[in-house]
Amino acid sequence: EAGVTQSPTHLIKTRGQQATLRCSPISGHTSVYWYQQALGLGLQFLLWYDEGEERNRGNFPPRFSGRQFPNYSSELNVNALELEDSALYLCASSRGTLGANEQFFGPGTRLTVL
Amino acid sequence: QKEVEQDPGPLSVPEGAIVSLNCTYSNSAFQYFMWYRQYSRKGPELLMYTYSSGNKEDGRFTAQVDKSSKYISLFIRDSQPSDSATYLCAMRVNTGGFKTIFGAGTRLFVKA
């Protein structure tokens, strides 16, 4: 069974640009979660999608947005990039709401903002 | 005050030692408690999760939850160099949208 995949592995952008990160969940998983892991800050919850809808959102500004597609894959968009957005962005998936305690993570996308 | 507090370490132990990793939390509404292991340059992987108070054992790993003290622990018996990783505790409350809160992670080094 293939795990959660994320692309790209690395992304380098300059301040003010937009970044798009992609995630494909494990087959059969309908929920996708996005987290930011900045150095020294641990995982910070960004967004949760289930069945194509945004279910919950963390304490991040509106320039962090995303969507989930009919095939349950997801993308995270970060507009007007700031230097402090540099971090590892992790995607996780689970078997819907009831499976949320068992989130399976992808390898992450390392975003560097210069 | 953070909702979940975890000592970042690093924690260095000799091979074969018993390792104790801990987290404290402030939100008494947390119901589910998880432990993840994260190797360098990899995503976290779920080790185990528990519901409410009590112990749960899985091989060399034991998770313990004390809701009265708002304290959770992960014990690793007979630690191996391959256990060297960052260990993250995580907690969830089933209200307000099933939000999961992670600790900052403890870096563990097991020396051969």
Side-chain angles (χ1 to χ4, degrees), chain A residues 3-6 22-27 29-36 43-50 67-68 72-76 88-96 99-109, chain B residues 34 36 43-46 92 100 102:
Chain A
V4 177
T5 59
Q6 292 186 244
R22 295 180 177 84
C23 171
S24 290
I26 291 171
S27 178
H29 286 190
T30 62
S31 278
V32 170
Y33 311 80
W34 286 96
Y35 294 89
Q36 182 194 67
L43 269 74
Q44 305 292 315
F45 168 72
L46 269 165
L47 290 159
W48 170 33
Y49 293 96
D50 183 62
R67 54 180 171 166
Q68 186 178 33
Y72 303 113
S73 67
S74 175
E75 69 179 28
L76 173 70
L88 181 68
Y89 289 83
L90 291 159
C91 169
S93 72
S94 73
R95 292 186 183 278
N101 294 327
E102 295 188 79
Q103 297 179 25
F104 294 83
F105 283 82
T109 293
Chain B
M34 288 78 76
Y36 285 82
E45 59 175 319
L46 179 67
R92 292 186 63 238
T100 303
F102 282 80

Side-chain angles (χ1 to χ4, degrees), chain A residues 35-94:
Chain A
Y35 294 89
Q36 182 194 67
Q37 189 174 33
L39 200 61
L41 291 180
L43 269 74
Q44 305 292 315
F45 168 72
L46 269 165
L47 290 159
W48 170 33
Y49 293 96
D50 183 62
E51 297 285 0
E53 294 192 14
E54 183 179 303
R55 301 294 185 179
N56 201 8
R57 183 182 181 85
N59 295 325
F60 282 83
R63 56 191 187 81
F64 287 84
S65 64
R67 54 180 171 166
Q68 186 178 33
F69 300 99
N71 66 354
Y72 303 113
S73 67
S74 175
E75 69 179 28
L76 173 70
N77 294 293
V78 188
N79 294 319
L81 285 165
E82 299 178 3
L83 296 178
E84 52 265 33
D85 295 334
S86 295
L88 181 68
Y89 289 83
L90 291 159
C91 169
S93 72
S94 73

Side-chain angles (χ1 to χ4, degrees), chain B residues 31-43:
Chain B
Q31 297 171 294
Y32 297 94
F33 305 89
M34 288 78 76
W35 285 96
Y36 285 82
R37 177 175 63 195
Q38 186 174 21
Y39 291 113
S40 181
R41 301 188 183 280
K42 301 279 188 181

Side-chain angles (χ1 to χ4, degrees), chain B residues 69-80:
Chain B
S69 302
K70 299 191 181 67
Y71 190 88
I72 70 169
S73 300
L74 178 71
F75 298 97
I76 307 174
R77 290 183 299 280
D78 188 25
S79 56
Q80 303 295 311

